Amino acid sequence: MPELIPRFHDWFKKQLPYFWHNWICATGSIIIVATIIILFFFLLLFVYNVILGRHISSYVQLVSFLIMPSFLVLGIITVFIGNIIHRRRLRKGQEIKSAPELGGQILLKKALLIGFVSFISILALGTFSYEAYHFTDSNNFCSTVCHTVMAPEATSYSNSPHSNVNCVKCHIGPGASWFVRAKLSGLRQVYGVMTDSYSKPIESPVQNLRPARDTCEVCHKPDKFHGSRMVVRKHFEYNQENTETITANIIYIGGPSESGQASSGVHWHVDPGNEVRYRFTDVKRQNIVEVVQKTPEGEIRYIKDGFEGSDDDGEWRVMDCLDCHNRPTHIYELPEKAVDKSMASGKLDSSIPWLAKESLRTLLETVPSENTEELIKDKLIAIYTDDHPDDLQAMVDDLDAIAIELTDILERNVFPAMNIEWGTYKSNLSHFDGDDELGTGGCFRCHDDEHESEDGHYIDQDCDKCHNLMAYQEENWEGFGGIDIESFLRN
Ligand code: HEC
Ligand code: HEC
Ligand code: HEC
Ligand code: HEC
Ligand code: HEC
């Protein structure tokens, strides 16, 4: 029995990594110990804050969950390299360039130290990587670490129907491979922010966004759409009375029929039995030159009238949710719609003469800055003094409320630091894009009566194909005999 102890001693000694046998090992050891000491203090800081129920700043989180553990890994790798070199030298019987002697070489002491260090490292690394995973997936990380850059996205998001859906649900989705891809591209983005070398505004559409099948469709089943939706909006004319009108539109949401066979309506494109793909020649995917519709009988190809390019021009894409819902959460309004919305909800008082027209003009001519409210007040007073002196007093009586509301509209839609103006990010969910009376974008990129198949069919623009426009900016619309229009009102 007693002779076993020295044998074990020798064996154990051989298994131990070298922590201090050359300069590389020593550097690694110092990094490890220093990191652990710092991490330990961060841990105390956390416990302290958690006990007191205090908010932990995201910069502290960034340092402790990402930067410090990276140092720990760096230290471990350095020790490892040092060991390889040392063992090779030992084997070849070369001269050993050792680090300075630190006290005696008492085995037990070293073993204890090593055991302790490894235990703490594993514990710390485990806890911290877990926390790091959650932290880099949190909205806080996305919007605080890249504060100004993501301010527009975070603002538009917080006003949207998806404001309770975390950024990563749409931008990364489930699964390890997309997680890794996202973190790698995230590193590039953080570098971009640090060196101020990113594009302003951030480019859209997002290249390599995860397909909707793995994000949107986790929550929304494409074969569960049904029926129609009634959309009622108020519009206020640009005259002295801000005359109120009603638009009522029944949109054929669509989806598969009861029998599960043919689908119809707007969501026909994403029915699991259908596929539409298209070829576009511009970054914004607005110029669509070819559309291919897969049917059980074969493919129908539609070519845009007058397209002269070759088969290699442009890029292909299979249509999914994002080709129409490209703004499901980063929703920017057009100024006309924003004014209508504020008047309909009473935040702008429609009894103040000319207010719809002049609010719109003020929004278009003001750039938000530190003192937006003051700028807006000066502008409105100048406009009313010049153009409607008789109505100036009525406007001034409510000036504070008007300025607050117009500031709010401006600050949620226009971001000069990121070069985001009115209409920078266009929605494809309609055909109005502000260019033409009915517009040319959105649905009308394909439904324009200009994409023709070999047998002479067009992707048509029949006004009853997608919706039934019951009323368009009508004064005193009767509605459906007695049903209160207000109950359908949707901004
Ligand atoms: C409901 C899904 C969804 C959520 C939640 C979401 N996004 Fe997005 N985001 C999108 C889509 C879709 C696009 C791409 C639009 C396109 O490609 O045309 C996008 C685009 C972006 C862009 C590029 C600029 C732009 O507006 O097109 C940034 C930056 C961005 N998102 C950041 C964020 C941040 C930060 C959060 C969380 C605060 C977030 N997103 C939450 C769906 C989402
Ligand atoms: C984590 C689940 C989740 C994900 C992922 C998600 N959504 Fe939603 N979405 C919701 C919920 C919940 C609502 C209902 C919100 C409400 O009505 O307040 C909603 C509402 C909507 C609406 C109706 C909005 C309105 O104005 O009434 C649309 C359109 C929509 N989502 C599209 C998308 C698209 C496109 C994507 C992918 C980019 C997506 N969603 C991803 C949960 C999700
Ligand atoms: C061809 C364009 C198009 C495609 C593709 C598309 N949608 Fe829609 N979707 C619309 C339109 C248009 C509406 C009605 C918008 C409105 O009410 O203002 C709508 C409405 C919705 C609504 C609200 C439904 C309701 O009953 O009010 C949801 C949710 C939705 N879409 C999710 C999706 C998802 C998820 C996908 C992908 C599987 C998808 N859409 C694909 C155009 C499209
Ligand atoms: C990339 C091209 C493309 C875009 C963009 C597009 N569609 Fe279509 N859509 C098609 C094709 C192709 C068909 C099938 C041919 C046809 O019906 O003319 C179709 C058919 C339809 C149909 C008829 C479905 C049925 O019942 O058979 C509706 C409704 C429709 N689209 C609505 C919309 C709406 C609303 C939008 C915009 C939000 C839109 N589409 C955007 C290509 C497109
Ligand atoms: C391919 C589908 C499609 C076709 C064809 C189409 N529209 Fe639309 N239209 C839409 C969608 C989608 C919207 C936006 C729905 C919403 O308000 O959310 C819209 C909105 C409108 C609105 C705005 C309603 C409002 O609330 O302000 C008007 C007006 C309109 N369409 C008129 C027309 C006319 C006129 C035609 C025929 C030339 C036409 N549309 C053809 C899809 C279509």
Side-chain angles (χ1 to χ4, degrees), residues 229 231-233 247-249 251 266 269 337 428-432 437-438 443-444 446-448 459-467 469 471-473 490:
R229 179 178 197 172
V231 174
V232 179
R233 293 193 179 94
T247 293
N249 201 0
I251 301 164
V266 176
H269 309 76
K337 298 265 181 198
N428 286 332
L429 197 57
S430 171
H431 39 83
F432 292 94
E437 205 191 337
L438 282 176
C443 317
F444 286 4
C446 296
H447 292 268
D448 59 355
I459 307 180
D460 68 277
Q461 206 177 61
D462 177 2
C463 301
D464 289 333
K465 191 183 183 90
C466 311
H467 51 60
L469 197 59
Y472 183 58
Q473 299 190 350
R490 173 161 171 257

mmCIF file of all heavy atoms in Angstrom, residues 229 231-233 247-249 251 266 269 337 428-432 437-438 443-444 446-448 459-467 469 471-473 490, ligand 5:
data_model
loop_
_atom_site.group_PDB
_atom_site.id
_atom_site.type_symbol
_atom_site.label_atom_id
_atom_site.label_comp_id
_atom_site.label_asym_id
_atom_site.label_seq_id
_atom_site.Cartn_x
_atom_site.Cartn_y
_atom_site.Cartn_z
ATOM 1 N N ARG A 229 -61.528 40.757 -44.670
ATOM 2 C CA ARG A 229 -61.355 41.708 -43.587
ATOM 3 C C ARG A 229 -61.848 43.069 -44.059
ATOM 4 O O ARG A 229 -61.506 43.506 -45.140
ATOM 5 C CB ARG A 229 -59.882 41.786 -43.255
ATOM 6 C CG ARG A 229 -59.550 42.759 -42.164
ATOM 7 C CD ARG A 229 -58.066 42.678 -41.913
ATOM 8 N NE ARG A 229 -57.723 43.261 -40.643
ATOM 9 C CZ ARG A 229 -56.511 43.186 -40.106
ATOM 10 N NH1 ARG A 229 -55.559 42.547 -40.726
ATOM 11 N NH2 ARG A 229 -56.265 43.748 -38.966
ATOM 12 N N VAL A 231 -61.723 46.920 -43.807
ATOM 13 C CA VAL A 231 -60.844 47.979 -43.332
ATOM 14 C C VAL A 231 -61.530 49.325 -43.565
ATOM 15 O O VAL A 231 -61.918 49.629 -44.686
ATOM 16 C CB VAL A 231 -59.505 47.950 -44.091
ATOM 17 C CG1 VAL A 231 -58.647 49.137 -43.719
ATOM 18 C CG2 VAL A 231 -58.772 46.656 -43.792
ATOM 19 N N VAL A 232 -61.755 50.070 -42.496
ATOM 20 C CA VAL A 232 -62.397 51.377 -42.635
ATOM 21 C C VAL A 232 -61.431 52.443 -42.145
ATOM 22 O O VAL A 232 -60.837 52.304 -41.079
ATOM 23 C CB VAL A 232 -63.701 51.443 -41.809
ATOM 24 C CG1 VAL A 232 -64.346 52.811 -41.933
ATOM 25 C CG2 VAL A 232 -64.662 50.366 -42.249
ATOM 26 N N ARG A 233 -61.239 53.463 -42.967
ATOM 27 C CA ARG A 233 -60.325 54.539 -42.546
ATOM 28 C C ARG A 233 -60.983 55.887 -42.769
ATOM 29 O O ARG A 233 -61.805 56.041 -43.664
ATOM 30 C CB ARG A 233 -59.039 54.499 -43.378
ATOM 31 C CG ARG A 233 -58.189 53.288 -43.121
ATOM 32 C CD ARG A 233 -56.815 53.473 -43.735
ATOM 33 N NE ARG A 233 -55.988 52.311 -43.451
ATOM 34 C CZ ARG A 233 -55.853 51.272 -44.264
ATOM 35 N NH1 ARG A 233 -56.473 51.267 -45.421
ATOM 36 N NH2 ARG A 233 -55.097 50.259 -43.927
ATOM 37 N N THR A 247 -63.298 55.765 -46.130
ATOM 38 C CA THR A 247 -62.925 54.747 -47.106
ATOM 39 C C THR A 247 -63.214 53.405 -46.462
ATOM 40 O O THR A 247 -62.786 53.150 -45.330
ATOM 41 C CB THR A 247 -61.432 54.836 -47.464
ATOM 42 O OG1 THR A 247 -61.214 56.059 -48.155
ATOM 43 C CG2 THR A 247 -61.000 53.687 -48.345
ATOM 44 N N ALA A 248 -63.960 52.571 -47.182
ATOM 45 C CA ALA A 248 -64.272 51.244 -46.635
ATOM 46 C C ALA A 248 -63.888 50.207 -47.683
ATOM 47 O O ALA A 248 -64.288 50.299 -48.843
ATOM 48 C CB ALA A 248 -65.754 51.141 -46.305
ATOM 49 N N ASN A 249 -63.083 49.253 -47.268
ATOM 50 C CA ASN A 249 -62.517 48.309 -48.227
ATOM 51 C C ASN A 249 -62.603 46.908 -47.632
ATOM 52 O O ASN A 249 -62.177 46.689 -46.497
ATOM 53 C CB ASN A 249 -61.044 48.713 -48.448
ATOM 54 C CG ASN A 249 -60.477 48.178 -49.740
ATOM 55 O OD1 ASN A 249 -61.174 47.504 -50.487
ATOM 56 N ND2 ASN A 249 -59.214 48.471 -49.989
ATOM 57 N N ILE A 251 -61.115 43.382 -47.840
ATOM 58 C CA ILE A 251 -59.940 42.736 -48.438
ATOM 59 C C ILE A 251 -60.093 41.228 -48.348
ATOM 60 O O ILE A 251 -60.369 40.684 -47.276
ATOM 61 C CB ILE A 251 -58.665 43.190 -47.709
ATOM 62 C CG1 ILE A 251 -58.549 44.705 -47.820
ATOM 63 C CG2 ILE A 251 -57.433 42.543 -48.304
ATOM 64 C CD1 ILE A 251 -57.586 45.306 -46.853
ATOM 65 N N VAL A 266 -55.931 36.762 -51.264
ATOM 66 C CA VAL A 266 -54.575 37.300 -51.189
ATOM 67 C C VAL A 266 -53.546 36.242 -50.758
ATOM 68 O O VAL A 266 -52.430 36.211 -51.265
ATOM 69 C CB VAL A 266 -54.538 38.494 -50.209
ATOM 70 C CG1 VAL A 266 -53.128 38.993 -50.038
ATOM 71 C CG2 VAL A 266 -55.446 39.609 -50.699
ATOM 72 N N HIS A 269 -50.941 33.036 -52.724
ATOM 73 C CA HIS A 269 -49.503 32.930 -53.065
ATOM 74 C C HIS A 269 -48.724 32.038 -52.106
ATOM 75 O O HIS A 269 -47.704 31.486 -52.489
ATOM 76 C CB HIS A 269 -48.820 34.299 -53.038
ATOM 77 C CG HIS A 269 -49.506 35.364 -53.816
ATOM 78 N ND1 HIS A 269 -50.626 35.996 -53.375
ATOM 79 C CD2 HIS A 269 -49.215 35.925 -55.002
ATOM 80 C CE1 HIS A 269 -51.000 36.893 -54.262
ATOM 81 N NE2 HIS A 269 -50.173 36.880 -55.257
ATOM 82 N N LYS A 337 -51.079 59.664 -44.029
ATOM 83 C CA LYS A 337 -51.774 58.668 -43.208
ATOM 84 C C LYS A 337 -51.645 59.014 -41.730
ATOM 85 O O LYS A 337 -52.567 58.809 -40.947
ATOM 86 C CB LYS A 337 -51.170 57.272 -43.438
ATOM 87 C CG LYS A 337 -51.313 56.780 -44.848
ATOM 88 C CD LYS A 337 -52.538 55.919 -44.999
ATOM 89 C CE LYS A 337 -52.629 55.436 -46.442
ATOM 90 N NZ LYS A 337 -53.920 54.966 -46.842
ATOM 91 N N ASN A 428 -44.687 46.985 -49.012
ATOM 92 C CA ASN A 428 -45.197 46.323 -50.213
ATOM 93 C C ASN A 428 -46.600 45.770 -50.013
ATOM 94 O O ASN A 428 -47.089 45.020 -50.834
ATOM 95 C CB ASN A 428 -44.267 45.165 -50.597
ATOM 96 C CG ASN A 428 -42.985 45.673 -51.206
ATOM 97 O OD1 ASN A 428 -42.953 46.748 -51.806
ATOM 98 N ND2 ASN A 428 -41.919 44.910 -51.053
ATOM 99 N N LEU A 429 -47.234 46.131 -48.910
ATOM 100 C CA LEU A 429 -48.511 45.511 -48.553
ATOM 101 C C LEU A 429 -49.703 46.153 -49.253
ATOM 102 O O LEU A 429 -50.844 45.828 -48.979
ATOM 103 C CB LEU A 429 -48.696 45.576 -47.030
ATOM 104 C CG LEU A 429 -49.748 44.659 -46.419
ATOM 105 C CD1 LEU A 429 -49.482 43.217 -46.760
ATOM 106 C CD2 LEU A 429 -49.804 44.837 -44.915
ATOM 107 N N SER A 430 -49.454 47.065 -50.146
ATOM 108 C CA SER A 430 -50.547 47.731 -50.830
ATOM 109 C C SER A 430 -50.037 48.026 -52.231
ATOM 110 O O SER A 430 -49.080 47.404 -52.667
ATOM 111 C CB SER A 430 -50.875 49.013 -50.056
ATOM 112 O OG SER A 430 -51.773 49.810 -50.765
ATOM 113 N N HIS A 431 -50.666 48.966 -52.936
ATOM 114 C CA HIS A 431 -50.032 49.400 -54.186
ATOM 115 C C HIS A 431 -49.682 50.870 -54.126
ATOM 116 O O HIS A 431 -48.950 51.358 -54.958
ATOM 117 C CB HIS A 431 -50.875 49.073 -55.410
ATOM 118 C CG HIS A 431 -52.352 49.271 -55.220
ATOM 119 N ND1 HIS A 431 -52.973 50.482 -55.357
ATOM 120 C CD2 HIS A 431 -53.312 48.377 -54.878
ATOM 121 C CE1 HIS A 431 -54.275 50.326 -55.127
ATOM 122 N NE2 HIS A 431 -54.516 49.074 -54.818
ATOM 123 N N PHE A 432 -50.174 51.561 -53.096
ATOM 124 C CA PHE A 432 -49.844 52.973 -52.957
ATOM 125 C C PHE A 432 -48.412 53.126 -52.476
ATOM 126 O O PHE A 432 -48.033 52.546 -51.475
ATOM 127 C CB PHE A 432 -50.773 53.639 -51.933
ATOM 128 C CG PHE A 432 -52.176 53.718 -52.418
ATOM 129 C CD1 PHE A 432 -53.085 52.726 -52.099
ATOM 130 C CD2 PHE A 432 -52.585 54.772 -53.218
ATOM 131 C CE1 PHE A 432 -54.382 52.780 -52.572
ATOM 132 C CE2 PHE A 432 -53.889 54.835 -53.686
ATOM 133 C CZ PHE A 432 -54.782 53.831 -53.361
ATOM 134 N N GLU A 437 -51.205 58.127 -58.642
ATOM 135 C CA GLU A 437 -52.475 58.184 -57.938
ATOM 136 C C GLU A 437 -52.776 56.874 -57.202
ATOM 137 O O GLU A 437 -53.032 56.859 -56.011
ATOM 138 C CB GLU A 437 -53.602 58.525 -58.901
ATOM 139 C CG GLU A 437 -54.755 59.168 -58.160
ATOM 140 C CD GLU A 437 -55.995 59.297 -59.004
ATOM 141 O OE1 GLU A 437 -55.883 59.301 -60.251
ATOM 142 O OE2 GLU A 437 -57.075 59.380 -58.411
ATOM 143 N N LEU A 438 -52.700 55.754 -57.952
ATOM 144 C CA LEU A 438 -52.904 54.454 -57.304
ATOM 145 C C LEU A 438 -51.580 53.785 -56.952
ATOM 146 O O LEU A 438 -51.552 52.730 -56.337
ATOM 147 C CB LEU A 438 -53.690 53.523 -58.220
ATOM 148 C CG LEU A 438 -55.201 53.728 -58.303
ATOM 149 C CD1 LEU A 438 -55.801 52.787 -59.332
ATOM 150 C CD2 LEU A 438 -55.877 53.532 -56.961
ATOM 151 N N CYS A 443 -48.188 45.309 -54.624
ATOM 152 C CA CYS A 443 -48.844 44.308 -55.465
ATOM 153 C C CYS A 443 -48.672 44.632 -56.952
ATOM 154 O O CYS A 443 -48.558 43.730 -57.780
ATOM 155 C CB CYS A 443 -50.335 44.245 -55.179
ATOM 156 S SG CYS A 443 -50.784 44.286 -53.451
ATOM 157 N N PHE A 444 -48.652 45.940 -57.270
ATOM 158 C CA PHE A 444 -48.615 46.326 -58.687
ATOM 159 C C PHE A 444 -47.246 46.119 -59.329
ATOM 160 O O PHE A 444 -47.058 46.393 -60.501
ATOM 161 C CB PHE A 444 -49.061 47.794 -58.865
ATOM 162 C CG PHE A 444 -50.556 48.006 -58.711
ATOM 163 C CD1 PHE A 444 -51.391 46.961 -58.350
ATOM 164 C CD2 PHE A 444 -51.124 49.258 -58.943
ATOM 165 C CE1 PHE A 444 -52.769 47.157 -58.191
ATOM 166 C CE2 PHE A 444 -52.490 49.460 -58.794
ATOM 167 C CZ PHE A 444 -53.320 48.408 -58.418
ATOM 168 N N CYS A 446 -46.241 43.209 -59.813
ATOM 169 C CA CYS A 446 -46.590 42.100 -60.711
ATOM 170 C C CYS A 446 -47.975 42.303 -61.319
ATOM 171 O O CYS A 446 -48.177 42.087 -62.507
ATOM 172 C CB CYS A 446 -46.598 40.777 -59.957
ATOM 173 S SG CYS A 446 -45.013 40.304 -59.306
ATOM 174 N N HIS A 447 -48.915 42.720 -60.473
ATOM 175 C CA HIS A 447 -50.297 42.898 -60.952
ATOM 176 C C HIS A 447 -50.418 44.241 -61.667
ATOM 177 O O HIS A 447 -51.040 45.170 -61.168
ATOM 178 C CB HIS A 447 -51.270 42.862 -59.772
ATOM 179 C CG HIS A 447 -51.379 41.517 -59.130
ATOM 180 N ND1 HIS A 447 -52.318 40.582 -59.487
ATOM 181 C CD2 HIS A 447 -50.649 40.931 -58.150
ATOM 182 C CE1 HIS A 447 -52.171 39.483 -58.748
ATOM 183 N NE2 HIS A 447 -51.163 39.678 -57.937
ATOM 184 N N ASP A 448 -49.793 44.325 -62.847
ATOM 185 C CA ASP A 448 -49.769 45.626 -63.515
ATOM 186 C C ASP A 448 -50.285 45.543 -64.949
ATOM 187 O O ASP A 448 -50.115 46.487 -65.725
ATOM 188 C CB ASP A 448 -48.356 46.207 -63.481
ATOM 189 C CG ASP A 448 -47.330 45.290 -64.151
ATOM 190 O OD1 ASP A 448 -47.711 44.163 -64.545
ATOM 191 O OD2 ASP A 448 -46.167 45.693 -64.283
ATOM 192 N N ILE A 459 -50.907 39.042 -65.688
ATOM 193 C CA ILE A 459 -51.202 39.093 -64.249
ATOM 194 C C ILE A 459 -51.999 40.387 -64.100
ATOM 195 O O ILE A 459 -51.457 41.475 -64.273
ATOM 196 C CB ILE A 459 -49.929 39.147 -63.388
ATOM 197 C CG1 ILE A 459 -48.973 38.011 -63.757
ATOM 198 C CG2 ILE A 459 -50.294 39.072 -61.900
ATOM 199 C CD1 ILE A 459 -47.676 37.995 -62.955
ATOM 200 N N ASP A 460 -53.309 40.226 -63.826
ATOM 201 C CA ASP A 460 -54.167 41.381 -64.065
ATOM 202 C C ASP A 460 -54.318 42.299 -62.869
ATOM 203 O O ASP A 460 -53.932 41.969 -61.749
ATOM 204 C CB ASP A 460 -55.543 40.920 -64.564
ATOM 205 C CG ASP A 460 -56.284 40.202 -63.471
ATOM 206 O OD1 ASP A 460 -56.032 38.982 -63.297
ATOM 207 O OD2 ASP A 460 -57.102 40.842 -62.784
ATOM 208 N N GLN A 461 -54.941 43.448 -63.165
ATOM 209 C CA GLN A 461 -55.063 44.502 -62.169
ATOM 210 C C GLN A 461 -56.538 44.791 -61.894
ATOM 211 O O GLN A 461 -56.892 45.892 -61.467
ATOM 212 C CB GLN A 461 -54.366 45.748 -62.709
ATOM 213 C CG GLN A 461 -53.862 46.670 -61.636
ATOM 214 C CD GLN A 461 -53.115 47.851 -62.222
ATOM 215 O OE1 GLN A 461 -53.682 48.640 -62.978
ATOM 216 N NE2 GLN A 461 -51.862 47.971 -61.866
ATOM 217 N N ASP A 462 -57.367 43.805 -62.160
ATOM 218 C CA ASP A 462 -58.799 43.934 -61.939
ATOM 219 C C ASP A 462 -59.058 44.435 -60.505
ATOM 220 O O ASP A 462 -58.639 43.803 -59.534
ATOM 221 C CB ASP A 462 -59.404 42.541 -62.164
ATOM 222 C CG ASP A 462 -60.886 42.506 -61.890
ATOM 223 O OD1 ASP A 462 -61.437 43.576 -61.558
ATOM 224 O OD2 ASP A 462 -61.475 41.417 -62.006
ATOM 225 N N CYS A 463 -59.794 45.565 -60.392
ATOM 226 C CA CYS A 463 -59.953 46.195 -59.079
ATOM 227 C C CYS A 463 -60.701 45.321 -58.083
ATOM 228 O O CYS A 463 -60.647 45.565 -56.880
ATOM 229 C CB CYS A 463 -60.666 47.531 -59.208
ATOM 230 S SG CYS A 463 -59.797 48.686 -60.264
ATOM 231 N N ASP A 464 -61.433 44.296 -58.582
ATOM 232 C CA ASP A 464 -62.162 43.431 -57.654
ATOM 233 C C ASP A 464 -61.406 42.148 -57.335
ATOM 234 O O ASP A 464 -61.933 41.248 -56.687
ATOM 235 C CB ASP A 464 -63.538 43.063 -58.234
ATOM 236 C CG ASP A 464 -64.456 44.268 -58.236
ATOM 237 O OD1 ASP A 464 -64.250 45.157 -57.382
ATOM 238 O OD2 ASP A 464 -65.339 44.337 -59.103
ATOM 239 N N LYS A 465 -60.192 42.030 -57.798
ATOM 240 C CA LYS A 465 -59.447 40.781 -57.593
ATOM 241 C C LYS A 465 -59.040 40.629 -56.123
ATOM 242 O O LYS A 465 -59.118 39.550 -55.551
ATOM 243 C CB LYS A 465 -58.193 40.808 -58.461
ATOM 244 C CG LYS A 465 -57.459 39.485 -58.548
ATOM 245 C CD LYS A 465 -56.196 39.660 -59.389
ATOM 246 C CE LYS A 465 -55.441 38.367 -59.580
ATOM 247 N NZ LYS A 465 -55.857 37.624 -60.773
ATOM 248 N N CYS A 466 -58.606 41.725 -55.522
ATOM 249 C CA CYS A 466 -58.033 41.636 -54.180
ATOM 250 C C CYS A 466 -58.943 42.233 -53.125
ATOM 251 O O CYS A 466 -58.842 41.910 -51.958
ATOM 252 C CB CYS A 466 -56.699 42.369 -54.124
ATOM 253 S SG CYS A 466 -55.604 41.909 -55.452
ATOM 254 N N HIS A 467 -59.765 43.164 -53.538
ATOM 255 C CA HIS A 467 -60.629 43.803 -52.547
ATOM 256 C C HIS A 467 -61.916 44.309 -53.174
ATOM 257 O O HIS A 467 -62.035 44.382 -54.397
ATOM 258 C CB HIS A 467 -59.903 44.953 -51.848
ATOM 259 C CG HIS A 467 -59.259 45.939 -52.776
ATOM 260 N ND1 HIS A 467 -59.955 46.668 -53.710
ATOM 261 C CD2 HIS A 467 -57.961 46.320 -52.902
ATOM 262 C CE1 HIS A 467 -59.124 47.464 -54.366
ATOM 263 N NE2 HIS A 467 -57.898 47.260 -53.906
ATOM 264 N N LEU A 469 -63.894 47.632 -52.944
ATOM 265 C CA LEU A 469 -63.842 48.986 -52.418
ATOM 266 C C LEU A 469 -65.269 49.525 -52.307
ATOM 267 O O LEU A 469 -65.883 49.901 -53.290
ATOM 268 C CB LEU A 469 -62.997 49.843 -53.366
ATOM 269 C CG LEU A 469 -62.456 51.166 -52.877
ATOM 270 C CD1 LEU A 469 -61.574 51.000 -51.655
ATOM 271 C CD2 LEU A 469 -61.663 51.835 -54.001
ATOM 272 N N ALA A 471 -66.363 52.132 -50.450
ATOM 273 C CA ALA A 471 -66.422 53.592 -50.466
ATOM 274 C C ALA A 471 -65.006 54.114 -50.524
ATOM 275 O O ALA A 471 -64.116 53.556 -49.868
ATOM 276 C CB ALA A 471 -67.087 54.090 -49.182
ATOM 277 N N TYR A 472 -64.779 55.128 -51.332
ATOM 278 C CA TYR A 472 -63.453 55.721 -51.363
ATOM 279 C C TYR A 472 -63.552 57.220 -51.097
ATOM 280 O O TYR A 472 -64.113 57.956 -51.889
ATOM 281 C CB TYR A 472 -62.771 55.448 -52.703
ATOM 282 C CG TYR A 472 -61.350 55.994 -52.722
ATOM 283 C CD1 TYR A 472 -60.415 55.569 -51.778
ATOM 284 C CD2 TYR A 472 -60.957 56.923 -53.668
ATOM 285 C CE1 TYR A 472 -59.136 56.068 -51.764
ATOM 286 C CE2 TYR A 472 -59.660 57.436 -53.676
ATOM 287 C CZ TYR A 472 -58.762 57.002 -52.715
ATOM 288 O OH TYR A 472 -57.491 57.494 -52.698
ATOM 289 N N GLN A 473 -63.068 57.621 -49.970
ATOM 290 C CA GLN A 473 -63.085 59.008 -49.528
ATOM 291 C C GLN A 473 -64.447 59.664 -49.780
ATOM 292 O O GLN A 473 -64.548 60.693 -50.431
ATOM 293 C CB GLN A 473 -61.938 59.776 -50.200
ATOM 294 C CG GLN A 473 -60.615 59.154 -49.809
ATOM 295 C CD GLN A 473 -59.379 59.962 -50.214
ATOM 296 O OE1 GLN A 473 -59.485 60.919 -50.962
ATOM 297 N NE2 GLN A 473 -58.238 59.581 -49.707
ATOM 298 N N ARG A 490 -60.501 51.387 -38.499
ATOM 299 C CA ARG A 490 -59.162 50.883 -38.261
ATOM 300 C C ARG A 490 -58.190 51.876 -38.872
ATOM 301 O O ARG A 490 -58.336 52.260 -40.015
ATOM 302 C CB ARG A 490 -59.012 49.517 -38.932
ATOM 303 C CG ARG A 490 -57.607 49.030 -38.870
ATOM 304 C CD ARG A 490 -57.551 47.528 -39.098
ATOM 305 N NE ARG A 490 -56.156 47.178 -39.225
ATOM 306 C CZ ARG A 490 -55.586 46.933 -40.391
ATOM 307 N NH1 ARG A 490 -56.260 46.990 -41.498
ATOM 308 N NH2 ARG A 490 -54.315 46.630 -40.427
HETATM 309 C C1 HEC B 5 -53.357 42.649 -56.632
HETATM 310 C C2 HEC B 5 -54.286 43.123 -55.650
HETATM 311 C C3 HEC B 5 -54.936 44.474 -55.863
HETATM 312 C C4 HEC B 5 -55.494 44.960 -56.998
HETATM 313 C C5 HEC B 5 -55.585 44.291 -58.365
HETATM 314 C C6 HEC B 5 -55.991 46.276 -56.691
HETATM 315 N N1 HEC B 5 -55.745 46.569 -55.379
HETATM 316 FE FE1 HEC B 5 -56.259 48.266 -54.387
HETATM 317 N N2 HEC B 5 -55.385 47.588 -52.727
HETATM 318 C C7 HEC B 5 -54.763 46.361 -52.593
HETATM 319 C C8 HEC B 5 -54.248 46.234 -51.265
HETATM 320 C C9 HEC B 5 -53.495 45.042 -50.701
HETATM 321 C C10 HEC B 5 -54.579 47.431 -50.596
HETATM 322 C C11 HEC B 5 -54.232 47.806 -49.142
HETATM 323 C C12 HEC B 5 -55.243 47.238 -48.211
HETATM 324 C C13 HEC B 5 -55.220 47.949 -46.929
HETATM 325 O O1 HEC B 5 -55.821 49.029 -46.905
HETATM 326 O O2 HEC B 5 -54.668 47.481 -45.973
HETATM 327 C C14 HEC B 5 -55.300 48.265 -51.538
HETATM 328 C C15 HEC B 5 -55.821 49.492 -51.243
HETATM 329 C C16 HEC B 5 -56.567 50.231 -52.117
HETATM 330 C C17 HEC B 5 -57.147 51.520 -51.803
HETATM 331 C C18 HEC B 5 -56.951 52.281 -50.527
HETATM 332 C C19 HEC B 5 -57.947 52.098 -49.493
HETATM 333 C C20 HEC B 5 -57.579 52.956 -48.304
HETATM 334 O O3 HEC B 5 -57.864 52.492 -47.223
HETATM 335 O O4 HEC B 5 -57.025 54.045 -48.452
HETATM 336 C C21 HEC B 5 -57.784 51.972 -52.936
HETATM 337 C C22 HEC B 5 -58.513 53.264 -53.132
HETATM 338 C C23 HEC B 5 -57.585 50.956 -53.945
HETATM 339 N N3 HEC B 5 -56.853 49.918 -53.432
HETATM 340 C C24 HEC B 5 -58.081 51.045 -55.219
HETATM 341 C C25 HEC B 5 -57.848 50.123 -56.208
HETATM 342 C C26 HEC B 5 -58.303 50.263 -57.568
HETATM 343 C C27 HEC B 5 -59.082 51.446 -58.099
HETATM 344 C C28 HEC B 5 -57.894 49.153 -58.240
HETATM 345 C C29 HEC B 5 -58.089 48.821 -59.711
HETATM 346 C C30 HEC B 5 -57.317 49.607 -60.612
HETATM 347 C C31 HEC B 5 -57.175 48.324 -57.295
HETATM 348 N N4 HEC B 5 -57.171 48.938 -56.077
HETATM 349 C C32 HEC B 5 -56.624 47.093 -57.605
HETATM 350 C C33 HEC B 5 -54.643 45.380 -53.543
HETATM 351 C C34 HEC B 5 -55.096 45.496 -54.840
#
